[in-house]
């Protein structure tokens, strides 16, 4: 009886925890189809807020800016972080330890500290704040996450793997692209996903380093939250759908590949 009670209590606690995390998301999705401007009372089903969102030039520019910055910063930070992690894996232990500790600083620092530091850095160099500074800032704070994601995969590899490839006639570039990279691909994909999520979701750093007329989704939602605008729900639902579909594709594709390999 005690085990059954414990099991039932654990299930109830798990259900309440899931409800606590996902109820606000469900709330946003439901009210994005509300027929009135109310954010507390449902008044029929309507797509008017989606129509207004797609017809709003400011919103569409913010969406485009967010996707562009997230995509470019993910690509650049993934390449830079992967190469840095591979280089560190072949470095001396003392140098590797020092660089890893330095790499942890942007991750451990509060975002507000990083944001103020970048603001002062760009101001000291007289760099005009705008899309370029936002892109540079996103690349800067995404790269450490890629390094942290790729490093454990490199540590699990045989240290003589690259040397074996070179002994068999591969060039250094071939050893990197055809031997090392395929082995650490799960870490690279994980790092890219983290980088994309961090860039797509960032508000604090973006708010400090951007200029007038350049907004991403998080900054736009912040400015719109000061007044009642149900289009926020439609915009948030669109972001949720994009992230959900991306995660589904990323998780389903490896499963399909494994099934094909098993059949082959």
């Amino acid at each position: 009886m005690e085990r059954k009670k414990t099991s039932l209590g654990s299930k109830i606690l798990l259900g309440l925890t899931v409800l606590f995390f996902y109820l606000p998301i469900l709330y946003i999705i439901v009210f994005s189809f509300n027929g009135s401007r109310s954010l507390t009372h449902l008044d029929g089903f309507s797509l008017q807020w989606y129509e207004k969102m797609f017809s709003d030039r400011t919103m569409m520019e913010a969406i485009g800016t967010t996707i562009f910055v997230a995509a470019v910063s993910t690509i650049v930070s993934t390449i830079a972080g992967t190469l840095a992690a591979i280089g560190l894996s072949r470095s001396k232990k003392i140098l590797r330890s020092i660089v890893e500790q330095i790499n942890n600083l942007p991750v451990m620092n509060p975002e507000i500290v990083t944001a103020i530091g970048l603001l002062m850095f760009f101001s000291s160099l007289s760099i005009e704040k705008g899309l370029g500074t936002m892109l540079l800032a996103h690349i800067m704070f995404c790269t450490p996450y890629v390094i942290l994601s790729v490093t454990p995969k490199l540590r699990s590899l045989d240290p003589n793997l690259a040397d074996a490839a070179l002994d068999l006639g591969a060039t250094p570039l071939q050893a990197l692209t055809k031997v090392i990279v395929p082995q650490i691909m799960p870490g690279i994909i994980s790092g890219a996903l983290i980088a994309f999520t961090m860039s797509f979701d960032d508000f604090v750093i973006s708010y400090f380093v951007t200029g007038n007329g350049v907004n991403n989704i998080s900054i736009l939602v912040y400015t719109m939250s000061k007044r009642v605008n149900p289009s926020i729900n439609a915009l948030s639902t669109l972001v949720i759908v994009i992230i959900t579909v991306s995660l589904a594709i990323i998780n389903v594709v490896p499963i399909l590949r494994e099934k094909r390999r098993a059949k082959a």
Side-chain angles (χ1 to χ4, degrees):
M1 288 294 294
E2 290 182 0
R3 290 183 178 179
K4 290 183 178 180
K5 289 181 179 179
T6 304
S7 177
L8 180 61
S10 299
K11 290 179 180 178
I12 293 175
L13 181 61
L14 178 61
L16 291 175
T17 303
V18 171
L19 190 66
F20 175 77
F21 281 113
Y22 291 99
L23 187 59
I25 297 176
L26 182 62
Y27 183 90
I28 289 174
I29 295 174
V30 171
F31 275 87
S32 68
F33 299 101
N34 194 12
S36 65
R37 293 183 62 86
S38 176
L39 299 178
T40 56
H41 300 287
L42 287 173
D43 187 19
F45 178 87
S46 176
L47 296 174
Q48 60 176 321
W49 308 120
Y50 288 90
E51 294 176 0
K52 290 185 178 180
M53 179 188 68
F54 286 111
S55 61
D56 191 327
R57 182 178 178 181
T58 303
M59 280 192 177
M60 298 311 297
E61 287 179 351
I63 293 173
T65 300
T66 302
I67 295 175
F68 172 77
V69 171
V72 174
S73 61
T74 298
I75 294 171
V76 175
S77 62
T78 300
I79 295 173
T82 301
L83 293 177
I86 293 173
L88 287 175
S89 67
R90 310 288 291 182
S91 302
K92 294 182 179 180
K93 187 176 181 180
I94 297 177
L95 177 62
R96 183 168 63 249
S97 178
I98 293 174
V99 175
E100 286 178 353
Q101 293 301 320
I102 295 174
N103 182 70
N104 291 335
L105 288 176
V107 178
M108 300 297 293
N109 266 343
E111 279 197 351
I112 186 67
V113 176
T114 304
I116 294 174
L118 287 170
L119 173 63
M120 295 176 64
F121 175 74
F122 290 137
S123 298
S124 64
L125 296 178
S126 300
I127 299 176
E128 184 179 357
K129 295 190 296 293
L131 181 62
T133 53
M134 181 189 290
L135 185 58
L136 290 173
H138 281 226
I139 293 172
M140 187 279 297
F141 72 75
C142 285
T143 302
Y145 290 95
V146 178
I147 296 176
L148 288 175
S149 180
V150 174
T151 299
K153 289 294 181 181
L154 286 168
R155 289 176 178 171
S156 65
L157 292 181
D158 186 342
N160 299 317
L161 192 61
D163 293 334
L166 294 174
D167 291 339
L168 292 173
T171 63
L173 182 60
Q174 289 175 335
L176 174 64
T177 57
K178 295 185 178 181
V179 178
I180 302 297
V181 171
Q183 294 292 325
I184 62 174
M185 187 56 69
I188 296 175
I189 293 175
S190 298
L193 285 174
I194 295 172
F196 183 84
T197 303
M198 293 294 296
S199 176
F200 198 92
D201 182 60
D202 181 74
F203 166 72
V204 177
I205 296 176
S206 300
Y207 187 78
F208 274 80
V209 300
T210 190
N212 294 329
V214 180
N215 294 325
N216 59 8
I217 291 176
S218 59
I219 296 175
L220 181 65
V221 170
Y222 172 74
T223 57
M224 292 172 61
S225 64
K226 297 178 181 180
R227 60 185 186 276
V228 178
N229 192 336
S231 297
I232 295 177
N233 294 333
L235 180 60
S236 301
T237 302
L238 180 63
V239 172
I240 293 169
V241 170
I242 292 174
I243 293 175
T244 303
V245 171
S246 301
L247 290 175
I249 293 173
I250 291 168
N251 286 284
V252 169
V253 169
I255 296 174
L256 295 177
R257 286 180 179 175
E258 290 296 329
K259 288 183 177 180
R260 290 180 180 177
R261 289 178 182 176
K263 290 181 180 180

